[in-house]
Amino acid sequence: MWRSLVARLTGGQKVVGSNPVIPIMYIFASIISALILVLVICLIRTFKSKKPIAKETRQLLISALIPIVSNLVVVFSSNYQLSGICYFLYFSSTDWMLAFMIRFTCKYCGYEYRKTLKERLVGTFCGLDTLIMVFNPFFHHVFSSEEVLFGNGHLYYNYVSEWYHYIHLGLSYVLAAVCLVLLLIRFIKSSSIYRERYFVMIMSVLVVAGWELYYILNPNVLEYSMVGYGSMAVLIYYFALEYKPFVATYRLLSEVVGNISEGIVFFDENNICIFANNKAKEMLGYGQDQIEGAWKDIMMMTAGDEFDFEDITREGYFQCVRNITKEEGERITYEIEYQQVLDKKEKYTGAFVALKDRTEEQKKLDEERFVATHDRLTGLYNADYLYSRVEKTLKENPNQRYIVVTSDIKGFKMVNDIYGTRTGDDILIKIARLIEGYASKDTIYGRISNDKFGLIMRRERYRESLFSEDMVKATTSNPDMFYPIIIHVGVYEVTDRRIPVSVMFDRAFMALSTIKNDMQKRVAYYDSNLREDMLWEQRVAGSIDAGLSTQQIIPYMQAQVDVDGNIQGVELLARWMHPTEGFLKPRRFLPTLEKNGYVVKLDQYMWERACSIIKKWESEGWEDLYISVNISPVDFFFIDVVESFKSLVELYEVDPKKLRLEITENAMMYNSGHRIESIERLREAGFLVEMDDFGNGFSSLNMLKDTPIDVIKIDMAFLDETKNPKRAKQILESMIALAKKLEIPVITEGVETAEQVQYLTEMGCDMFQGYYFAKAFPMEEFEDRYLRSGEKLIIANGGNDVLY
Ligand code: C2E
Ligand code: CA
Ligand code: CA
């Protein structure tokens, strides 16, 4: 069509019949046919493409094929009518091709177009144009034909443009220009990354325009403009469906990699760093262009002293987490991922390393782990973690000897009670710091519970003085506290590694628990007997109920006599005929029962038995005898002692005067105000209260000052053999004199010899109890020996029974 336009413009030059260039027709045919073939191949390939734009590309290809095929037919046809139809198809389908080109462009550029008013408008114009051209056979307003004869005698009909053809061309150029403008707008507006996309399309259109321009300036007898359009369709197909926009991809990737929150480093085949993103530079502490050292730095960071980096890189992939301490002391955690890149032939072409900053996660993890394994107050290990650490250490050092040490603060509840939990906490923290200070590198220590701490140390480092002296000094140096902080320490040497670690610590605690009121003793050692003892204690304590209900526990009675040897009363003393452990004296079983409070059951039983015996004796004519019973300090913690006695005498209808209650001085020590009040109430109720073991406690005289008692019972220790008997006697004498002054009767226990009786009598002692007179007997035997005879007189009778 360009050619005919030019023909007109250049003065109606006619080429008729005499063209000498014979093969030109075949060259043209070959070019057009080749183009058709390429277009068909492209068309087939559009069906395979999954890209969304494949459909529009396909429509464009089909619409380009029609005018090209028509053009080819025209050249080879000598039929006037057929040429006319083909020219019509050729002109009208150019419209539709450009209409599809607009549809394609809009889709490609992302404009809203399909089924819009704009599309309908374009369709209407093209439809109208086609309709107008249909009437050409009648009006010849679009084109007329002229004959062209090739040198080989072939005739074909060339068209000659009429007035409407120029309108049609104008429409076509407008449509083509619309496409170009749409692409240009997108090209300008879009991000530089995507410009390539539009650039290739614009270039495709411009190539065609260039071709057309060349063709206008160099007119030819044959119509070559379709070669340009066909080529454009092929180019468009290629750029839309086949071409991969490398620049865009590359730039997009480098943009992503450059700004990603992970550090990314690329190495070439010689392990030279060729790229490191900003994050990686930041993480490695590099400046902008300072990446050459990356391989060495990452290698050092990764390999540490744990593994051989060369080995790992040979593997092709690895991942690890590393803690790094920076120069400023800041600790950071990096996750390092290394991946080799191989080409298709498995040849090493480089590698990349991804660095992830895991510092925050690690910190959080460390914190959580700390909370789970440490005691919140002191910051020491908690029991579970201590045990697991100890277990690990024991396993790792099978030949090392170890000592387990535990500590417990005596009466810590009291500290909390008197000074408040704040002070209690402060003391615990202080002890924790103390242990920390004493601990050597290989000592493992922790807080086991409340006021209990534990540690394990190498045997050769253990010194008892550390715990018996240093610790005492450190904990008693608080001038604001008068309550002494006494720490008891239990020690167990790990001899049997098969037992659980918690049991090792239990054993140390077991040793610790053997320290009673001994103010000097701070450290106790576990030995296997201790365990036996503990087991024995458990057995005995566990059988107390059965012991009481089946009368294994028997009240023995020991006479108390006046200066003339007349029995005034008895002290009731417990004996246990244990089915498996044999005959037990209180010394054996009392401490255990006191430890766990079972002594209350025993005492209540004994008190009740005392009442029933008094009742029985009254009925048998021995109504003037009293019975002394013992009250354990523990009883006051568990029961209302006063009420118990009151209800007992009421129940048995016994005169309270016939019950003497022996309370040791030590029982008075704790909560003395309350105890004194109890004693007062007991006395008001008519009971006689004796202070047992007088002289044995910490502040006997002081106690005497405040405590309203009826009888003083001097401790038998004053009669023991001593280096300085004279002095002992003087003390005894003063004590008795003091009691006399206070008008309190005195009884001395543990009297074993006539000499003792003599000097005690001289000193003014009122009553005696001891083997010199009588040992303790079961009730039946006591009655037989002393009561049934009717005399109740036993002067020096028991002198030979010292062995009891
Ligand atoms: P205690 O109250 O000081 O009782 C006196 C202890 O001295 C008794 O020992 C008695 O058998 C013993 N004894 C008596 N005369 C002599 C003597 O001439 N020489 C020597 N060496 N010892 C003598 P026993 O019966 O073994 O009782 C020991 C302690 O057990 C008692 O000391 C008492 O505190 C406690 N006890 C005994 N029975 C009971 C009880 O039923 N309840 C409570 N809470 N304590 C009891
Ligand atoms: Ca007693
Ligand atoms: Ca006593």
Side-chain angles (χ1 to χ4, degrees):
M1 64 179 119
W2 289 106
R3 188 192 52 80
S4 33
L5 173 67
V6 172
R8 293 278 151 149
L9 292 174
T10 51
Q13 182 195 25
K14 289 190 184 160
V15 185
V16 188
S18 59
N19 195 328
V21 193
I22 301 159
I24 199 161
M25 176 186 149
Y26 298 104
I27 292 170
F28 176 79
S30 311
I31 292 171
I32 296 291
S33 302
L35 196 57
I36 291 171
L37 187 70
V38 172
L39 283 169
V40 169
I41 292 169
C42 292
L43 187 62
I44 294 166
R45 287 184 66 91
T46 60
F47 287 101
K48 287 187 185 150
S49 172
K50 287 197 172 70
K51 288 197 177 174
I53 203 155
K55 193 175 151 200
E56 282 74 13
T57 313
R58 188 156 55 241
Q59 291 167 346
L60 183 67
L61 286 171
I62 294 168
S63 65
L65 268 168
I66 297 169
I68 294 171
V69 172
S70 309
N71 199 6
L72 189 67
V73 173
V74 164
V75 175
F76 280 91
S77 164
S78 304
N79 184 309
Y80 176 75
Q81 267 82 24
L82 184 61
S83 297
I85 293 168
C86 284
Y87 275 126
F88 164 72
L89 280 176
Y90 170 37
F91 293 141
S92 59
S93 59
T94 325
D95 279 349
W96 296 106
M97 184 186 84
L98 287 162
F100 282 121
M101 177 69 190
I102 292 178
R103 186 184 272 187
F104 170 87
T105 307
C106 286
K107 176 92 179 186
Y108 191 78
C109 297
Y111 294 117
E112 189 79 27
Y113 179 67
R114 284 299 302 270
K115 293 179 183 154
T116 62
L117 186 67
K118 287 172 229 157
E119 190 178 41
R120 272 181 218 124
L121 212 63
V122 171
T124 311
F125 277 124
C126 293
L128 268 175
D129 192 44
T130 306
L131 192 67
I132 290 166
M133 289 194 286
V134 166
F135 296 103
N136 190 56
F138 306 104
F139 305 111
H140 298 287
H141 57 296
V142 187
F143 62 90
S144 53
S145 299
E146 62 178 15
E147 290 181 351
V148 175
L149 195 64
F150 285 101
N152 62 353
H154 176 72
L155 174 94
Y156 104 101
Y157 290 95
N158 191 20
Y159 72 88
V160 177
S161 299
E162 300 298 340
W163 64 271
Y164 186 76
H165 189 216
Y166 300 111
I167 295 175
H168 161 74
L169 283 178
L171 178 68
S172 303
Y173 296 146
V174 167
L175 293 179
V178 166
C179 290
L180 198 62
V181 169
L182 289 176
L183 286 166
L184 274 169
I185 291 172
R186 260 292 180 263
F187 176 78
I188 293 161
K189 276 193 175 172
S190 67
S191 138
S192 62
I193 294 173
Y194 296 109
R195 288 212 171 125
E196 184 199 3
R197 252 171 81 78
Y198 304 105
F199 179 75
V200 292
M201 286 298 169
I202 291 167
M203 286 317 286
S204 307
V205 176
L206 287 180
V207 164
V208 178
W211 167 265
E212 295 296 324
L213 195 66
Y214 172 79
Y215 180 58
I216 292 168
L217 300 177
N218 301 284
N220 197 298
V221 68
L222 286 167
E223 172 66 70
Y224 276 100
S225 65
M226 278 333 286
V227 176
Y229 285 113
S231 309
M232 184 185 77
V234 172
L235 281 175
I236 284 173
Y237 158 80
Y238 174 73
F239 286 123
L241 299 185
E242 301 284 352
Y243 174 72
K244 288 193 180 69
F246 279 114
V247 175
T249 317
Y250 170 76
R251 290 186 58 184
L252 207 70
L253 279 179
S254 59
E255 195 72 16
V256 170
V257 171
N259 295 314
I260 206 164
S261 60
E262 288 177 16
I264 305 279
V265 188
F266 291 111
F267 299 99
D268 72 3
E269 56 191 338
N270 300 315
N271 293 336
I272 291 167
C273 180
I274 47 173
F275 173 84
N277 69 357
N278 291 336
K279 186 71 190 177
K281 283 180 201 156
E282 183 198 315
M283 290 169 88
L284 295 167
Y286 293 161
Q288 205 45 37
D289 298 314
Q290 188 195 350
I291 55 173
E292 311 81 46
W295 178 261
K296 203 170 147 234
D297 287 350
I298 293 175
M299 196 164 83
M300 296 272 284
M301 206 150 99
T302 311
D305 43 9
E306 260 181 60
F307 47 166
D308 181 3
F309 196 77
E310 292 299 318
D311 257 5
I312 314 156
T313 49
R314 217 170 291 139
E315 291 286 307
Y317 175 85
F318 73 80
Q319 192 200 30
C320 63
V321 174
R322 289 284 172 271
N323 289 315
I324 297 143
T325 310
K326 285 194 166 177
E327 272 167 28
E328 317 88 70
E330 189 195 353
R331 247 175 88 83
I332 43 173
T333 307
Y334 284 165
E335 184 186 323
I336 303 166
E337 198 178 349
Y338 167 90
Q339 171 85 62
Q340 277 185 2
V341 182
L342 305 179
D343 66 8
K344 281 183 186 151
K345 289 177 192 157
E346 300 279 298
K347 196 171 162 253
Y348 178 67
T349 50
F352 73 86
V353 169
L355 296 168
K356 288 170 208 162
D357 192 340
R358 294 269 181 255
T359 311
E360 283 307 309
E361 284 107 312
Q362 190 63 39
K363 255 191 211 154
K364 216 181 250 167
L365 211 73
D366 287 349
E367 266 166 33
E368 277 167 18
R369 199 175 296 154
F370 188 87
V371 169
T373 53
H374 288 70
D375 165 48
R376 201 149 10 124
L377 179 70
T378 60
L380 302 191
Y381 293 160
N382 60 24
D384 284 346
Y385 193 56
L386 172 70
Y387 294 164
S388 74
R389 284 292 312 270
V390 170
E391 198 179 319
K392 193 164 164 259
T393 306
L394 289 175
K395 256 190 210 132
E396 285 169 359
N397 304 282
N399 299 319
Q400 174 65 45
R401 295 173 76 183
Y402 283 101
I403 299 272
V404 170
V405 182
T406 56
S407 75
D408 186 15
I409 304 171
K410 194 171 176 326
F412 185 66
K413 274 202 195 89
M414 285 267 287
V415 177
N416 273 334
D417 220 49
I418 301 168
Y419 300 101
T421 44
R422 251 247 178 98
T423 311
D425 285 354
D426 285 348
I427 291 170
L428 293 177
I429 292 169
K430 195 171 171 188
I431 292 174
R433 296 293 88 83
L434 211 66
I435 295 174
E436 237 164 28
Y438 285 147
S440 53
K441 190 169 95 298
D442 35 33
T443 302
I444 307 167
Y445 49 90
R447 182 180 172 203
I448 292 172
S449 67
N450 305 326
D451 57 336
K452 295 183 172 60
F453 293 84
L455 61 86
I456 188 166
M457 66 198 312
R458 293 182 169 220
R459 192 182 187 284
E460 65 269 17
R461 294 202 203 282
Y462 174 79
R463 276 184 298 118
E464 185 181 301
S465 59
L466 203 65
F467 303 99
S468 59
E469 289 164 26
D470 299 2
M471 197 110 145
V472 173
K473 261 183 242 148
T475 46
T476 47
S477 58
N478 188 345
D480 301 334
M481 310 233 324
F482 3 75
Y483 189 88
I485 303 298
I486 298 170
I487 298 176
H488 286 171
V489 172
V491 180
Y492 166 69
E493 177 170 1
V494 181
T495 45
D496 181 358
R497 286 177 180 240
R498 289 164 307 174
I499 59 168
V501 171
S502 61
V503 175
M504 295 177 187
F505 279 84
D506 283 348
R507 287 188 173 180
F509 277 119
M510 216 185 263
L512 184 153
S513 69
T514 60
I515 308 174
K516 298 272 155 45
N517 286 325
D518 188 341
M519 294 300 279
Q520 296 309 312
K521 195 172 174 186
R522 292 292 161 89
V523 182
Y525 294 84
Y526 174 89
D527 65 54
S528 50
N529 294 337
L530 188 60
R531 187 163 163 265
E532 288 306 311
D533 289 352
M534 290 274 174
L535 290 174
W536 185 89
E537 282 187 5
Q538 268 172 21
R539 265 203 312 277
V540 169
S543 54
I544 180 71
D545 286 329
L548 291 170
S549 61
T550 59
Q551 265 118 52
Q552 293 165 19
I553 289 172
I554 304 157
Y556 270 45
M557 43 190 66
Q558 186 179 25
Q560 296 186 342
V561 302
D562 62 15
V563 279
D564 302 322
N566 287 314
I567 298 175
Q568 301 293 319
V570 297
E571 180 180 3
L572 221 53
L573 299 159
R575 300 287 180 268
W576 192 342
M577 303 289 287
H578 201 281
T580 55
E581 308 305 321
F583 182 79
L584 303 176
K585 282 198 156 194
R587 196 165 12 105
R588 233 4 217 127
F589 60 83
L590 264 185
T592 310
L593 297 187
E594 286 196 321
K595 213 190 292 175
N596 46 40
Y598 290 159
V599 71
V600 177
K601 293 183 184 193
L602 170 85
D603 280 354
Q604 283 180 315
Y605 174 78
M606 292 292 283
W607 303 340
E608 186 163 0
R609 288 306 310 272
C611 291
S612 74
I613 291 166
I614 290 169
K615 197 77 203 150
K616 173 179 173 279
W617 282 351
E618 275 176 4
S619 67
E620 289 170 9
W622 303 311
E623 60 276 315
D624 50 348
L625 290 177
Y626 65 83
I627 296 183
S628 258
V629 292
N630 290 285
I631 300 175
S632 162
V634 179
D635 294 333
F636 289 98
F637 289 108
F638 290 92
I639 54 167
D640 184 339
V641 174
V642 183
E643 281 310 310
S644 296
F645 277 108
K646 274 183 169 176
S647 52
L648 269 179
V649 291
E650 217 167 278
L651 183 71
Y652 283 88
E653 294 172 326
V654 166
D655 179 3
K657 285 237 146 32
K658 289 192 177 167
L659 266 186
R660 293 194 178 191
L661 317 180
E662 298 194 6
I663 303 173
T664 60
E665 290 179 33
N666 290 338
M668 301 296 301
M669 287 250 305
Y670 184 79
N671 203 354
S672 57
H674 187 253
R675 294 287 147 81
I676 289 167
E677 193 202 308
S678 299
I679 290 171
E680 271 166 357
R681 282 171 58 209
L682 285 168
R683 293 183 73 219
E684 273 163 26
F687 297 98
L688 282 174
V689 179
E690 272 185 33
M691 185 172 276
D692 200 358
D693 299 345
F694 182 77
N696 180 25
F698 298 120
S699 52
S700 311
L701 295 179
N702 195 32
M703 206 60 78
L704 201 59
K705 176 171 68 90
D706 298 317
T707 319
I709 43 141
D710 299 294
V711 182
I712 288 174
K713 193 170 185 184
I714 295 176
D715 193 66
M716 67 178 85
F718 292 97
L719 300 183
D720 283 353
E721 292 216 356
T722 147
K723 277 190 208 153
N724 200 336
K726 203 175 158 205
R727 199 161 176 169
K729 266 188 208 160
Q730 275 168 354
I731 295 174
L732 209 57
E733 194 171 5
S734 321
M735 280 201 294
I736 294 169
L738 181 72
K740 291 272 122 177
K741 254 193 199 140
L742 295 170
E743 296 178 353
I744 302 173
V746 180
I747 173 168
T748 311
E749 61 183 337
V751 181
E752 292 179 354
T753 63
E755 188 206 342
Q756 287 170 342
V757 179
Q758 199 197 333
Y759 69 71
L760 282 169
T761 312
E762 280 165 15
M763 286 172 188
C765 179
D766 307 287
M767 302 252 293
F768 309 94
Q769 178 183 346
Y771 295 160
Y772 178 72
F773 297 98
K775 59 168 187 162
F777 296 106
M779 187 179 70
E780 280 299 315
E781 199 178 340
F782 179 84
E783 287 174 357
D784 280 349
R785 278 180 181 244
Y786 307 115
L787 302 185
R788 287 192 225 285
S789 65
E791 280 196 30
K792 289 190 283 177
L793 188 71
I794 43 168
I795 298 173
N797 179 28
N800 299 324
D801 295 335
V802 178
L803 286 178
Y804 294 103

